[in-house]
Amino acid sequence: MNYKSLLAIVCGVLITSNAFAQANILNAKSPAEIGVRTDEQKALDNDKPLEYGYVDDRDIMFAKMTWEKVVLDERVNFPLYYPVDTNNIGSNRRSLYDVLTKAIVDGEIKDVYNDSYFTGKRTAKELADITTKVDTMDIGYDQLNADGRVDPEYIRKRELASFDISAYLIKGLWYFDKRQGELKYRLLGIAPAAPDINFIDSNDEDNKEPNPLFWIFYPDARDVLHEAKSFNAKNSAIPFSFDHILNARRFNSVVTREENVYGDRKVEEYIPENALMQLLESERIKEKIRNFELDMWSY
């Protein structure tokens, strides 16, 4: 990797993170002033996500599209999952799912898609249908049969929350930039994944497979994810932005498929019912991509 680019990224993260880590906490005269930036801080604030450099198609010597699964049970991926309970925590800390859904509701992320190829958009009604379940209790049906109505207390509404998100699916392009002479990665899409809302509270493990709720074209979400900060366990004064975590690949993932002649089929489609072999195939795909850069410098 270009050391000048790495130094610029590190310096940018260190400088901008200080402005968001419990702003004004040491100068606050009351709890209400914690997190409120002063006029001087606002005047100096010109913080934006690091822009992607222009890459000419002629400079791409090698490219491979991959789809990956980031399982949130793994400790290294916890910064993308927590906090799941926001009742007793400050408003400056939210999970990645809460950040994305709030940005969609507020209109900061305007378009969400129904697949990783971004061919069709999801409507607000479709999002509500896949994230909300309304059920009537047995006593409610008895009241409906007797009185023709159901009191609200007999209707249960279940909404997906950050606690229910078990994985993130990401799509990105590995490419070798012959002008820079290095292998790079560009994240293109991200999707929170959770079990079907209709079976999420059941004990049937066959229905607990996480499915993507919606896909977001990642460049559309960079400004939002740059503003949102994740917890840094080593130094809470310098939190990482979600944009930095994802672009720097500070997570562990499993390759679920690569673009191929068979219609981009998944690994599980040609290696069925064998989790170990699927994991080994994922590592083989990763190693094949990494080896291309190594082979370029072999004499």
Side-chain angles (χ1 to χ4, degrees):
M1 183 175 183
N2 190 302
Y3 289 102
K4 292 183 178 179
S5 300
L6 178 61
L7 181 61
I9 293 173
V10 173
C11 291
V13 171
L14 294 178
I15 294 171
T16 59
S17 297
N18 280 318
F20 287 90
Q22 289 291 332
N24 205 40
I25 190 170
L26 298 180
N27 301 314
K29 300 296 190 295
S30 67
E33 296 181 5
I34 297 177
V36 179
R37 290 176 294 165
T38 63
D39 293 336
E40 290 78 7
Q41 288 174 321
K42 293 179 181 179
L44 293 173
D45 182 19
N46 188 22
D47 188 23
K48 294 181 180 180
L50 187 65
E51 293 185 6
Y52 293 140
Y54 176 75
V55 181
D56 194 294
D57 290 340
R58 294 172 295 182
D59 293 333
I60 300 177
M61 180 178 292
F62 164 84
K64 178 67 71 173
M65 192 77 71
T66 60
W67 288 257
E68 299 171 79
K69 183 178 182 180
V70 181
V71 180
L72 298 181
D73 283 344
E74 299 184 39
R75 185 174 297 275
V76 69
N77 298 330
F78 281 178
L80 301 176
Y81 180 65
Y82 289 101
V84 295
D85 183 4
T86 59
N87 292 325
N88 298 312
I89 199 168
S91 60
N92 62 313
R93 289 181 57 190
R94 289 293 181 267
S95 69
L96 177 57
Y97 179 72
D98 286 338
V99 171
L100 292 175
T101 52
K102 183 178 184 300
I104 293 171
V105 172
D106 294 345
E108 295 178 288
I109 298 177
K110 299 184 183 301
D111 298 321
V112 293
Y113 301 87
N114 53 22
D115 60 30
S116 61
Y117 296 97
F118 314 112
T119 55
K121 297 180 181 179
R122 285 203 187 278
T123 63
K125 183 180 183 305
E126 289 175 337
L127 288 176
D129 289 341
I130 62 177
T131 58
T132 307
K133 178 179 70 172
V134 179
D135 194 12
T136 303
M137 301 172 63
D138 292 339
I139 191 172
Y141 285 111
D142 294 338
Q143 184 187 32
L144 179 64
N145 294 329
D147 303 333
R149 62 182 180 84
V150 180
D151 291 335
E153 61 264 26
Y154 301 140
I155 298 177
R156 294 180 298 182
K157 185 176 181 181
R158 174 74 158 86
E159 294 184 357
L160 284 179
S162 56
F163 175 81
D164 301 310
I165 305 302
S166 56
Y168 282 94
L169 307 182
I170 61 174
K171 174 186 178 181
L173 182 71
W174 289 96
Y175 66 96
F176 187 86
D177 188 339
K178 67 180 182 181
R179 186 178 295 273
Q180 299 291 333
E182 60 182 330
L183 185 70
K184 297 182 179 180
Y185 178 77
R186 180 69 60 85
L187 184 59
L188 299 177
I190 184 169
D196 190 320
I197 185 64
N198 297 304
F199 305 101
I200 196 167
D201 296 321
S202 69
N203 296 322
D204 186 3
E205 293 299 325
D206 294 336
N207 293 316
K208 291 298 184 72
E209 181 66 23
N211 300 307
L213 302 177
F214 52 83
W215 280 90
I216 295 175
F217 185 56
Y218 187 75
D220 289 344
R222 288 200 68 202
D223 288 333
V224 172
L225 297 181
H226 179 73
E227 293 292 331
K229 305 301 177 182
S230 178
F231 184 72
N232 182 358
K234 294 183 178 180
N235 187 353
S236 59
I238 307 177
F240 295 117
S241 71
F242 286 116
D243 181 60
H244 173 76
I245 291 176
L246 293 169
N247 271 313
R249 294 187 62 85
R250 299 176 65 93
F251 55 80
N252 187 48
S253 64
V254 176
V255 175
T256 58
R257 60 173 160 156
E258 61 173 336
E259 57 180 353
N260 53 65
V261 70
Y262 303 103
D264 298 344
R265 66 178 179 177
K266 299 180 180 179
V267 171
E268 62 183 20
E269 293 179 10
Y270 61 91
I271 306 180
E273 300 179 359
N274 192 326
L276 177 58
M277 294 306 296
Q278 290 173 5
L279 185 61
L280 292 176
E281 175 66 5
S282 171
E283 292 300 316
R284 185 194 69 82
I285 294 172
K286 290 181 181 179
E287 195 67 20
K288 178 181 66 175
I289 295 172
R290 286 194 293 260
N291 283 342
F292 182 87
E293 183 181 31
L294 297 177
D295 293 342
M296 291 297 296
W297 299 108
S298 299
Y299 297 95

